[in-house]
Amino acid sequence: MTRGREVHLVRHPNGEVRESDFRIVDVDVAGPGHGEVLVRNTWTSVDAAHRLRLREKAPPGYFAAFALGQAMDGIATVGEVVASRADGFEVGDTVRHAAGWRDYALIEAARPALGGIGTLARVDTDAAAPEAYLGALGGSGLTAYVGLFDVAGLRDGDVVWVSAAAGSVGSLVAQMAKLRGHRVIGSAGSDDKVSYLLDELGLDAAFNYKAGPLAQLLRGAAPDGIDVYFDNVGGDHLEAALGTLRQGGRVAMCGAISEYEDPRPAPGPSNLFLAVANDLTLRGFRGSSHVNRMGEMTREVGAWLREGRIRYRETVVDGLEHAPDALARLLRGDTTGKALVRIA
């Protein structure tokens, strides 16, 4: 028997996430039974989408809400196998799974999890650092890859706008579009992030959406319009995109972080009819619905990372006990790139 800590949700946040909504609990962790492995977790993910699962009821069709008073299953994590009774997994293997926000995870090796992304799998630490498989080579990379190339259907000559472009998904989308030779515009919520987009990621234009009327800021960056909008924000950002998209434009609807902490339903865009007038395509998607593309994404993005053609910043918070604060920081916009908790 091993002792470890788990993060439990003790109340559903009303508005902003607070550390008091969670509790760190010491628990006994049993050794593995037949077909199971015991993993000592080393890195765990922090994602804006976790906020949707902190509601009493998650959105219909989405991943289930986190249960009160229990370990928070369904959070992508990497760690080291410390005991195994499952074929194909040995002590010392580095693995990815979906039992995060805890020190140790006892996992049934054959059980699928988190739409397939979180199913227990070994990762190649010779190719990349373990934590990369939670970001650029994990769910963030897959979401960016399929969202830009499959959902938005990137075409020659497209002008692309990416909202939340300094985040874990947005920063990858922007760079992938640049690698394919497109004009890319990014938006973010601070001047420091705008500098990051321009100076480090090499975007063609970027703006702080808090600096003035959003539609005007977008028009200033894209006076001739845009063809693709990769939407991480929703709300007024989607409305601004609808007013700027050219004939036949496409929207890949990845997230709506502007609405996640609002207890009241947000109204839809006031100019939605422009989707009809301009033959626009608006398509929502989840990266986990495209697990079949994970292998191709990992190979291509992994090569870009090794060649230095993609830069990927991480905001690292040390200590499992600080995972709730890391999520609160992400939702406030106080992180850049992929937010991670280093457990050990």
Side-chain angles (χ1 to χ4, degrees), residues 4-340:
R5 300 167 300 162
E6 300 175 342
V7 180
H8 290 194
L9 179 68
V10 295
R11 70 175 61 86
H12 301 290
N14 182 18
E16 292 185 2
V17 170
R18 303 180 185 279
E19 289 189 68
S20 58
D21 297 322
F22 304 84
R23 181 176 296 130
I24 309 298
V25 179
D26 290 319
V27 297
D28 289 324
V29 183
H34 179 71
E36 293 180 328
V37 299
L38 179 63
V39 179
R40 180 177 62 85
N41 291 334
T42 53
W43 294 86
T44 194
S45 184
V46 181
D47 299 289
H50 293 163
R51 181 62 183 86
L52 296 172
R53 303 184 63 198
L54 296 175
R55 297 177 179 178
E56 191 169 353
K57 291 184 178 180
Y62 198 62
F63 298 116
F66 293 123
L68 293 180
Q70 297 181 25
M72 295 165 60
D73 279 318
I75 296 180
T77 302
V78 291
E80 180 183 348
V81 174
V82 294
S84 174
R85 293 186 61 193
D87 292 339
F89 296 95
E90 299 179 356
V91 172
D93 285 347
T94 300
V95 294
R96 174 172 56 196
H97 59 86
W101 285 35
R102 68 193 83 182
D103 288 321
Y104 290 91
L106 185 63
I107 304 167
E108 184 180 345
R111 182 178 181 180
L114 198 65
I117 294 178
T119 302
L120 184 70
R122 292 191 307 276
V123 298
D124 183 0
T125 55
D126 291 330
E131 62 270 25
Y133 293 94
L134 300 178
L137 299 182
S140 296
L142 181 64
T143 300
Y145 193 83
V146 301
L148 183 63
F149 299 129
D150 298 358
V151 177
L154 193 65
R155 305 169 186 165
D156 291 345
D158 279 345
V159 175
V160 180
W161 174 34
V162 184
S163 59
S168 62
V169 173
S171 61
L172 290 171
V173 173
Q175 292 179 86
M176 290 176 187
K178 283 297 298 177
L179 283 170
R180 294 290 172 89
H182 295 267
R183 174 174 171 79
V184 181
I185 300 152
S187 58
S190 73
D191 291 341
D192 285 344
K193 290 183 179 180
V194 169
S195 296
Y196 166 64
L197 297 177
L198 294 172
D199 301 337
E200 191 166 333
L201 301 191
L203 272 59
D204 299 285
F207 60 88
N208 180 348
Y209 69 84
K210 300 176 181 177
L214 182 56
Q216 292 182 22
L217 293 168
L218 179 56
R219 271 293 174 190
D224 298 322
I226 60 175
D227 302 287
V228 168
Y229 171 46
F230 196 101
D231 188 14
N232 290 300
V233 177
D236 58 350
H237 283 60
L238 178 57
E239 184 165 309
L242 289 169
T244 312
L245 282 157
R246 298 190 281 216
Q247 195 81 18
R250 288 91 65 209
V251 180
M253 302 173 70
C254 171
I257 194 171
S258 66
E259 305 171 16
Y260 291 171
E261 293 196 302
D262 190 345
R264 297 167 299 177
S270 64
N271 57 349
L272 190 57
F273 183 74
L274 289 174
V276 177
N278 290 321
D279 294 309
L280 306 180
T281 299
L282 284 66
R283 181 179 168 191
F285 76 103
R286 299 189 325 203
S288 59
S289 298
H290 301 265
V291 176
N292 61 307
R293 300 277 272 149
M294 180 66 87
E296 180 180 341
M297 181 281 294
T298 302
R299 288 189 295 273
E300 188 161 12
V301 175
W304 288 337
L305 286 169
R306 290 190 298 274
E307 296 164 3
R309 302 177 70 191
I310 277 187
R311 298 171 180 264
Y312 198 66
R313 190 178 290 188
E314 297 168 337
T315 298
V316 175
V317 174
D318 281 302
L320 177 66
E321 66 276 14
H322 298 304
D325 181 59
L327 177 59
R329 285 181 55 190
L330 183 151
L331 293 168
R332 290 196 304 266
D334 291 344
T335 62
T336 300
K338 178 64 184 174
L340 294 167

